[in-house]
């Protein structure tokens, strides 16, 4: 009996012209992969083959610097949301950020990711100065930013200062679902506008979503995949939802490992040249999570470069792995994961391939 998976493998989404036809097919494929282990392994193999044809079995490392856990936003899922009390708030100084970059450069990373909450005390002038200094001091280093929603003019200034990439997860492509995860001043359309602006300006742009966030259905997952297939971001961050204490969703169950792996593989198949991290959340959900992520088509790992004394304060969810590790032991664990997955660590910047 022919399965939706056969048609999907051969024709992708092309055999369906209407949006509803494409969504139906994606939903059927997700259903099949959830129920049929053999089909699931076929999906992982196909995803790995596509990845290896474009990038080889290389994993790109990104040194993650968590520059501030102050945030004006109040996302219901997030462990550093504005109204959560008991968070030890910190903001790195410019010198601390530079010192993290130096450490990252010395251990061989050729991308730094500056990530933080939306913290108005980092003004756009501050951020431009930081990006310019990194660009000048480490010309071989790619600079990725993950600092939330900003005006197009601010994004442009950061790009002009030398930032190469920007991560801004869309969180969910379904507007109603988006509004159930965020307070009413956070609008799905604004998020999508930011993503389109980032791409237009020339950033390698990253979208992404949590798997198993409260209220998420299979149709939502299909909508996420359709959005990714249409938007064709250069990067996609996918991890399981993990409950964070002191948030409205603290008692909700975590997302599933299998669903996260299925979504990684389908993302690789639909966005072949995507740079796809095996995320920290995946490693926090399951000790084998990141290796399994690489085996399902991922090709990026983001070791933590933040100063060890602030690691434990940047907890987007409970049970985050390597919150207490120093840079070297964190790196050693990542090397083990990569080799265990039969891959090797690339020493290049790992820019998105243009195919
Ligand atoms: N579980 C999993 N991922 C989370 N993020 C925020 N909170 C959680 C959580 N509780 C993710 C969001 C955000 C990214 C920086 O971290 O998708 O975009």
């Amino acid at each position: 009996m022919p399965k939706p998976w056969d048609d999907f493998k051969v024709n992708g989404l092309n055999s369906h012209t209407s949006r509803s036809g494409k969504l139906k097919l994606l939903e059927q494929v997700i259903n099949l992969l959830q129920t049929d282990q053999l089909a699931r392994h076929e999906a992982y193999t196909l995803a790995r083959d596509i990845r290896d044809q474009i990038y080889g079995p290389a994993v790109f490392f990104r040194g993650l610097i968590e520059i501030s856990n102050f945030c004006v936003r109040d996302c219901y899922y997030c462990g550093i949301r504005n109204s959560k009390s008991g968070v030890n708030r910190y903001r790195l100084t410019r010198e601390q950020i530079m010192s993290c970059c130096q450490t990252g450069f010395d251990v061989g990373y050729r991308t730094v990711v500056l990530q933080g909450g939306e913290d108005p005390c980092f003004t756009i002038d501050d951020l431009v100065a930081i990006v310019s200094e990194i660009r000048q001091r480490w010309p071989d280093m790619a600079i990725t930013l993950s600092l939330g929603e900003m005006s197009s003019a601010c994004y442009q200034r950061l790009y002009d200062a030398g930032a190469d990439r920007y991560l801004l997860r869309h969180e969910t492509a379904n507007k109603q679902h988006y509004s159930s995860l965020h307070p009413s001043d956070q609008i799905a359309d604004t998020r999508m506008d930011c993503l389109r602006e980032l791409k237009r300006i020339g950033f390698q742009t990253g979208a992404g979503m949590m798997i198993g966030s409260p209220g998420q259905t299979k149709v939502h997952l299909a909508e996420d995949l359709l959005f990714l297939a249409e938007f064709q971001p250069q990067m996609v961050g996918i991890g399981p939802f993990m409950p964070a204490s002191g948030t409205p969703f603290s008692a909700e169950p975590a997302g599933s490992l299998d669903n996260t792996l299925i979504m990684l593989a389908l993302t690789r198949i639909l966005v072949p040249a995507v740079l796809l991290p095996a995320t920290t959340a995946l490693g926090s959900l399951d000790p084998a999570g990141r290796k399994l992520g690489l085996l399902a088509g991922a090709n990026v790992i983001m070791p933590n470069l933040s100063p060890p004394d602030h690691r434990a304060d940047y907890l987007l969810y409970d049970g985050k792995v390597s919150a207490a590790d120093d840079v070297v032991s964190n790196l050693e664990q990542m090397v083990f994961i990569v080799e265990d997955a039969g891959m090797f660590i690339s020493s290049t910047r790992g820019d998105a391939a243009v195919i």
Side-chain angles (χ1 to χ4, degrees), residues 4 18 58 192 214 256 283 341:
S18 70
M192 291 299 185
S256 90

Side-chain angles (χ1 to χ4, degrees), residues 127-345:
L127 294 172
V128 164
I130 289 166
V131 169
S132 307
E133 183 172 345
I134 299 173
R135 173 53 56 246
Q136 197 211 331
R137 288 177 60 179
W138 297 281
D140 301 337
M141 191 103 97
I143 303 171
T144 303
L145 302 177
S146 177
L147 301 168
E149 294 179 8
M150 294 184 195
S151 69
S152 178
C154 289
Y155 286 149
Q156 184 71 57
R157 285 191 60 195
L158 293 166
Y159 184 76
D160 293 341
D164 305 279
R165 312 184 188 133
Y166 203 103
L167 305 174
L168 183 70
R169 290 189 178 180
H170 66 284
E171 311 296 359
T172 169
N174 180 283
K175 287 186 198 183
Q176 281 79 41
H177 188 222
Y178 191 94
S179 56
S180 75
L181 300 178
H182 302 98
S184 57
D185 64 331
Q186 288 175 248
I187 316 281
D189 284 340
T190 311
R191 181 61 62 120
M192 291 299 185
D193 288 345
C194 286
L195 280 166
R196 276 187 282 273
E197 277 306 292
L198 288 163
K199 210 169 182 207
R200 183 190 62 76
I201 287 168
F203 280 103
Q204 293 174 48
T205 302
M209 62 281 180
M210 292 173 287
I211 306 303
S213 57
Q216 188 182 58
T217 65
K218 272 176 217 174
V219 180
H220 296 154
L221 293 177
E223 287 179 290
D224 283 326
L225 290 172
L226 186 55
F227 163 69
L228 295 173
E230 285 167 358
F231 187 66
Q232 291 287 314
Q234 283 84 9
M235 304 167 286
V236 177
I238 297 176
F241 161 76
M242 303 282 285
S245 56
T247 66
F249 292 158
S250 61
E252 298 288 336
S256 90
L257 177 65
D258 278 344
N259 280 352
T260 308
L261 297 174
I262 290 166
M263 290 298 281
L264 283 171
L266 290 173
T267 300
R268 167 67 62 199
I269 294 166
L270 290 167
V271 191
V274 69
L275 290 158
L276 193 61
T279 51
T280 307
L282 189 53
S284 303
L285 180 71
D286 188 299
R290 277 179 288 194
K291 174 188 171 183
L292 295 172
L294 294 176
L295 294 176
N299 64 343
V300 169
I301 285 194
M302 300 172 71
N304 203 315
L305 261 187
S306 304
D309 51 329
H310 289 304
R311 294 278 176 87
D313 301 323
Y314 199 88
L315 293 184
L316 304 183
Y317 46 81
D318 301 345
K320 184 180 170 192
V321 280
S322 58
D325 296 343
D326 61 65
V327 170
V328 172
S329 72
N330 194 231
L331 174 60
E332 280 167 359
Q333 289 169 39
M334 304 299 143
V335 172
F336 180 80
I337 292 170
V338 170
E339 289 176 353
D340 206 21
M343 298 177 75
F344 73 91
I345 299 163

Side-chain angles (χ1 to χ4, degrees), residues 57-91:
V59 177
F60 304 103
F61 277 22
R62 322 301 197 191
L64 182 65
I65 308 173
E66 295 151 337
I67 67 170
S68 168
N69 68 357
F70 285 91
C71 192
V72 297
R73 302 286 182 180
D74 224 8
C75 308
Y76 299 147
Y77 45 84
C78 185
I80 60 166
R81 66 198 298 263
N82 184 276
S83 65
K84 181 171 163 181
S85 56
V87 179
N88 184 21
R89 304 278 173 180
Y90 73 89
R91 178 179 300 120

